[in-house]
Amino acid sequence: MDIEAIKKEVYKAREVFEKHCNHISKTFFGDFPSASCGPSADLIAEYLLSKGVQNIEYVYGERNGGSHGWLEIEGHIIDITGDQFEEGIEGVFISSNRDFHNQFSPQTRNDKPGVNGILRDPYNKFKALMETHA
């Protein structure tokens, strides 16, 4: 899957979360996009992996007592929750520009992102919505 196809899926994912956050999981996404960065990144990573996307990393950093997580794919930052910050970025951010994300430091990288047991049910709901969302 090339970056344009990935972008299409990521924009669709943001729409699905906006419209169905409580259905997917009120616990993890009830205040979407606030406090939803890690779980939403995990669900998107799992979905993209199921579509054959490789080299996905989950990146996590801290700033001023808070934290933020996002995905990176071959130098492209994929972030659908950066707009939760007052001085944040747009709702869907797909770019190699690191200015905003470099504020979160130190950064921890996980090259095996995806869904663990607690997110399996929300992922199944998310995946079904992604596959039926036009």
Side-chain angles (χ1 to χ4, degrees):
M1 185 177 282
D2 66 13
I3 191 63
E4 292 306 315
I6 291 169
K7 284 181 183 181
K8 183 178 175 185
E9 295 295 332
V10 170
Y11 275 95
K12 183 167 61 168
R14 172 68 189 226
E15 289 179 27
V16 165
F17 279 116
E18 286 175 346
K19 292 179 182 176
H20 305 285
C21 57
N22 286 328
H23 170 71
I24 296 168
S25 172
K26 190 168 184 162
T27 301
F28 292 108
F29 306 108
D31 197 22
F32 184 86
S34 295
S36 301
C37 55
S40 62
D42 285 336
L43 269 61
I44 292 170
E46 186 81 9
Y47 186 76
L48 292 174
L49 287 166
S50 78
K51 299 294 182 187
V53 178
Q54 298 178 16
N55 302 318
I56 303 173
E57 287 184 299
Y58 174 78
V59 184
Y60 167 89
E62 296 183 5
R63 176 186 78 167
N64 301 329
S67 62
H68 189 47
W70 60 91
L71 299 176
E72 292 192 18
I73 302 172
E74 297 179 0
H76 290 85
I77 294 169
I78 310 284
D79 187 347
I80 68 161
T81 62
D83 59 330
Q84 70 182 296
F85 298 98
E86 193 171 298
E87 77 298 354
I89 51 178
E90 58 269 18
V92 176
F93 181 83
I94 303 172
S95 176
S96 57
N97 181 327
R98 304 192 62 79
D99 292 347
F100 175 74
H101 294 85
N102 279 344
Q103 297 174 43
F104 296 88
S105 159
Q107 292 180 356
T108 304
R109 295 178 171 273
N110 176 356
D111 63 356
K112 303 229 184 294
V115 171
N116 61 29
I118 198 165
L119 286 174
R120 183 56 55 191
D121 183 58
Y123 172 72
N124 289 335
K125 292 175 183 175
F126 171 75
K127 182 179 179 185
L129 291 164
M130 287 291 288
E131 291 174 351
T132 60
H133 186 75

